[in-house]
Amino acid sequence: MGCSDSSDEKIYHFTRFSMDCAIEYTVVGKDRSLARNAVQQGQNEIERIESLLWQGNSSSTIFQFNRSRSGITVDGETFEFVSRAKSYAYMTAGAFDISIQKVL
């Protein structure tokens, strides 16, 4: 909304669930249907990423990696994600750490 006087805009709240977390969306807009559509697009992207990277999803690349004894081949997006995360871990002296638990 910023500095504009948009009295016809409303605040819409939505809750969705992914990766064992409740996600609270707040959308400012003129129409609830458009707000819901925007939330759904965001949720679809979260679910797409979840299918690749969430360790709790038995079909995800990360789940398979964590259980592999000999390594696996990963897609380019997963490789880039992990590479960037390792870079951030290095730049922050380990303050940023993508691991959430021990590898099995």
Side-chain angles (χ1 to χ4, degrees), residues 12-79:
Y12 301 99
H13 299 279
F14 302 91
T15 302
R16 300 291 184 269
F17 190 79
S18 288
M19 297 183 276
D20 278 346
C21 295
I23 301 169
E24 298 288 333
Y25 293 92
T26 302
V27 180
V28 178
K30 296 179 182 182
D31 179 83
R32 184 171 186 78
S33 178
L34 291 173
R36 183 178 288 124
N37 187 10
V39 166
Q40 189 57 53
Q41 288 179 39
Q43 186 68 25
N44 290 347
E45 181 62 6
I46 288 171
E47 291 171 4
R48 186 188 72 77
I49 292 168
E50 174 184 50
S51 73
L52 294 173
L53 303 174
W54 188 46
Q55 58 85 25
N57 178 346
S58 63
S59 64
S60 78
T61 304
I62 295 302
F63 182 95
Q64 294 168 15
F65 173 80
N66 284 343
R67 282 154 182 75
S68 171
R69 294 182 185 258
S70 59
I72 65 169
T73 301
V74 300
D75 61 275
E77 186 175 19
T78 301
F79 181 82

